[in-house]
Amino acid sequence: MFLSVKGLAKSFGNNEVLKNIDVEIKEGSVLSIIGPSGSGKTTLLRCLNALEQPDKGIFSFSDGLIINFDNKLTKKEILQLRRKSGMVFQSYNLFPHKTALENVIEGPVIVQKRNKAEVEELARELLRKVGLEDKMNLYPHQLSGGQQQRVGIARALAMEPQLMLFDEPTSALDPELIGEVLRVIKDLAKENWTMVIVTHEIQFASEVSDHVIFMDGGYIVEQGKPEEVLKHPKEERTKQFLDRILNPA
Ligand SMILES: Nc1ncnc2c1ncn2[C@@H]1O[C@H](COP(=O)(O)OP(=O)(O)OP(=O)(O)O)[C@@H](O)[C@H]1O
Ligand SMILES: [Mg+2]
C-alpha cells in the first residue's frame, strides 16, 4: 500500500464536499475516480496534493509518514505532502511566457533548487518521452491542446513525485487530441507509476485502472475492479451515471 486515507472530510462553509472517505492507493497501481459533476473528485485530488486542507482524516504513507488533519498542518507537513505527488490539471496551467522546455525546468530548479544543467537534461528526456522532442522550444500558444497537456505531464514528472494525480486530463481537448494524451498515461501505467486519475473516459479507465471508485455527493458509492464497477455495477446510482455517459442523448 502506497497510501491509506482514512476518514477524510472536507467542507466549504456548510457544503460538506467529502464525507468520511476511505481510500487505499496501492504502490504501482492505477486508481480511477469517476462520478458526476460536483461529487467531490477534484477536491479529493486537491486534498491528496495539499492544495486543499481537509478538516478531518489521516493519511498513512508506506514510508512511515503519517499526517493527521485533526490538527492544523505545519508548513513542514504541507511541504512533505506536496512533494509526494505531482498534479496534472484539466486546463494545463502552463506558464504562457515560457517555452515547453522552460515550463518543465521551472519547478525542479526554482522550487527544488536542483542543478539546472541536470534538470535540463531530464526535461529533454521527459519531453521526448511524451513525444515532444521537436516542440521543446515552442511557447504554449504555439502548441495544440494535446501537446500542451503532454508538457503538463512532463512538468509534473520532472518533480520526481511518488504519486501522479490527473484531474480530467483530456476533458478540455478536442476529440482527436484525446488519444495522444491517454497513450502517454498508459505508458506511465506500464512503467508502474502509482497514479490517481479522475476521468470521464470510461473505456480508457477500464483499460488502464487496477481499481475504480464511483463517487457521488461526497461519498464513495461503489468501488472495485474496473470490470465490476464499469461493466457490472451493483448500485443504482452507478448504473444511472454510466448510462448517461455511455449513451448521451
Ligand atoms: N474552493 C471552493 N470553495 C467553495 N466551494 C468549493 C470549492 N471547491 C469546490 N467547491 C464545491 O465543492 C463541491 C465539489 O466540487 P469538486 O470540484 O470537487 O467536484 P468535481 O467532482 O470535481 O466536479 P466536476 O466533475 O464538475 O469537476 C462543489 O459543490 C463545489 O462547488
Ligand atoms: Mg473536478
Side-chain angles (χ1 to χ4, degrees):
M1 196 61 59
F2 171 74
L3 167 62
S4 155
V5 173
K6 286 249 180 321
L8 183 66
K10 173 73 183 170
S11 297
F12 294 107
N14 298 330
N15 186 5
E16 266 188 276
V17 174
L18 299 176
K19 301 168 183 165
N20 200 23
I21 293 221
D22 295 344
V23 181
E24 301 211 309
I25 302 171
K26 289 214 172 74
E27 184 97 48
S29 77
V30 179
L31 167 66
S32 291
I33 303 176
I34 60 168
S37 182
S39 56
K41 307 180 300 293
T42 294
T43 305
L44 174 56
L45 282 194
R46 291 175 59 85
C47 287
L48 291 175
N49 193 224
L51 288 169
E52 219 55 86
Q53 211 177 119
D55 304 322
K56 267 198 210 142
I58 298 181
F59 287 2
S60 314
F61 289 92
S62 54
D63 63 2
L65 176 67
I66 293 182
I67 308 242
N68 187 336
F69 295 103
D70 294 352
N71 314 313
K72 193 164 164 30
L73 294 198
T74 61
K75 279 215 175 93
K76 183 175 170 214
E77 285 178 313
I78 293 174
L79 280 178
Q80 280 177 313
L81 196 48
R82 195 153 295 164
R83 230 180 278 135
K84 290 268 179 204
S85 59
M87 182 103 152
V88 175
F89 301 90
Q90 184 174 353
S91 50
Y92 333 129
N93 289 3
L94 299 180
F95 298 115
H97 56 286
K98 290 187 186 294
T99 64
L101 187 65
E102 289 164 351
N103 262 282
V104 178
I105 289 172
E106 174 86 7
V109 170
I110 303 296
V111 180
Q112 296 178 330
K113 313 257 187 276
R114 280 153 57 191
N115 175 283
K116 186 157 183 202
E118 280 170 31
V119 170
E120 185 169 330
E121 195 172 326
L122 170 69
R124 288 180 188 282
E125 188 187 310
L126 290 171
L127 285 165
R128 269 194 293 277
K129 181 189 177 83
V130 299
L132 294 175
E133 55 277 15
D134 54 345
K135 308 283 182 197
M136 294 192 193
N137 297 318
L138 297 185
Y139 289 87
H141 73 91
Q142 297 171 313
L143 299 171
S144 73
Q147 291 165 347
Q148 289 185 59
Q149 188 56 301
R150 285 184 281 145
V151 176
I153 294 172
R155 182 183 53 176
L157 291 171
M159 300 291 278
E160 304 190 324
Q162 295 168 17
L163 171 67
M164 283 287 283
L165 307 171
F166 296 85
D167 191 5
E168 300 195 38
T170 61
S171 61
L173 299 177
D174 291 336
E176 72 270 23
L177 301 179
I178 290 176
E180 63 192 51
V181 172
L182 296 185
R183 210 161 314 124
V184 168
I185 300 174
K186 276 189 191 165
D187 287 345
L188 296 176
K190 277 191 210 126
E191 294 173 12
N192 292 322
W193 277 84
T194 309
M195 302 197 276
V196 180
I197 309 174
V198 172
T199 184
H200 288 300
E201 300 288 333
I202 302 300
Q203 181 57 35
F204 165 71
S206 70
E207 289 167 21
V208 80
S209 318
D210 299 290
H211 196 78
V212 177
I213 283 177
F214 171 66
M215 281 181 72
D216 195 9
Y219 290 106
I220 294 175
V221 172
E222 181 163 1
Q223 60 179 311
K225 292 198 184 332
E227 53 272 30
E228 295 163 6
V229 178
L230 301 173
K231 304 262 162 60
H232 307 285
K234 291 191 191 75
E235 300 292 331
E236 203 49 44
R237 275 192 283 171
T238 319
K239 287 179 196 166
Q240 284 169 2
F241 172 76
L242 287 170
D243 190 49
R244 251 187 294 134
I245 286 212
L246 296 171
N247 309 300

